[in-house]
Amino acid sequence: MREILGRRRRLLSQRSDGRPDLIGAALTYATQWQWPVLPGVAADPEGRNRCGCPDPECTVPGAHPFDPGLLAATTDGRMVRWWWGNRPTAPIVLATGGKAPCAVSLPALPAARALDALDGMGMRLGPVVASPARWAILVKPYSMEQLGELLYAKDFVPGSLRFHGEGGYLALPPSETGQGEIRWERAPLPGSAAPWVPDVEAVVDAAVEALTRTGVSAPEF
């Protein structure tokens, strides 16, 4: 199964010469899956761990929108071609929420352990996006009211969980950011249909249970 998933990653993220196929991936997201995307700000060429935006303390270097802003995200293939035709190495940023998936993310090490626990529980997951620092589980769109009610009903929610909902964003593979490569930990199947994603309730319930049951301590960063 690992070999199949690895092959899927390559099909979705690489050109024949092995270089990241950013424009191809961006077009798949936008035109086939109807996920609104836009180019992210580049990392600072003088230091990959720094961002090219004006904020010297940026915590997500090269992994967020700047110019254009998040509201410019689109599913228009012509706009996508123009953006990446002019900025071929720009990270691909998904505008979460609306008709696009949202995401629940947590630090990489607890996330890997949580996914193993979720597999053991028989939990069905959709695509999972991984960076060196954090992994994000894609989920169906949710409202802030829905999320608030879900978290309020919990006795405990790990402080390191982050929620990428309406008005949020997430860098997608095969982007290169100041924090490193963005890749698929669980890759969607290639094809024309948008990938299936689970409900946020199921993911949060299972993640909290897995983290609690396995004794995984997720630091708050």
Side-chain angles (χ1 to χ4, degrees):
M1 189 63 176
R2 290 292 182 184
E3 292 178 358
I4 295 173
L5 290 177
R7 182 170 178 270
R8 290 175 188 167
R9 291 192 191 102
R10 290 193 294 274
L11 287 171
L12 284 167
S13 63
Q14 286 189 353
R15 307 186 313 189
S16 59
D17 60 6
R19 296 172 60 189
D21 183 14
L22 288 161
I23 190 169
L27 285 168
T28 294
Y29 301 141
T31 63
Q32 294 187 27
W33 298 354
Q34 292 297 293
W35 292 2
V37 298
L38 74 164
V41 63
D44 189 331
E46 296 184 3
R48 291 289 301 176
N49 62 338
R50 298 198 304 269
C51 192
C53 75
D55 182 2
E57 304 298 325
C58 181
T59 59
V60 283
H64 67 91
F66 174 63
D67 182 17
L70 186 62
L71 292 178
T74 185
T75 59
D76 186 336
R78 293 171 300 178
M79 194 72 236
V80 168
R81 288 187 182 91
W82 188 85
W83 275 333
W84 273 274
N86 287 280
R87 299 165 59 180
T89 62
I92 304 168
V93 175
L94 168 70
T96 54
K99 295 183 179 180
C102 295
V104 177
S105 71
L106 63 161
L109 180 58
R113 294 175 179 172
L115 287 190
D116 286 342
L118 296 177
D119 288 341
M121 294 161 57
M123 173 73 189
R124 182 187 177 191
L125 294 175
V128 177
V129 176
S131 74
R134 298 185 71 85
W135 291 7
I137 303 171
L138 299 187
V139 298
K140 292 179 181 177
Y142 57 77
S143 66
M144 294 306 296
E145 292 78 12
Q146 180 184 4
L147 179 63
E149 292 176 2
L150 173 63
L151 298 182
Y152 183 77
K154 294 291 181 189
D155 293 328
F156 167 74
V157 176
S160 58
L161 283 178
R162 293 181 187 166
F163 300 92
H164 308 256
E166 185 74 32
Y169 58 86
L170 183 71
L172 293 177
S175 302
E176 288 281 349
T177 73
Q179 296 176 327
E181 177 191 6
I182 308 296
R183 61 178 178 81
W184 293 113
E185 176 59 28
R186 301 284 176 93
L189 288 168
S192 60
W196 177 89
V197 292
D199 291 326
V200 66
E201 293 91 342
V203 169
V204 171
D205 288 347
V208 170
E209 179 180 347
L211 290 171
T212 303
R213 189 174 68 177
T214 59
V216 174
S217 176
E220 296 189 12
F221 65 89

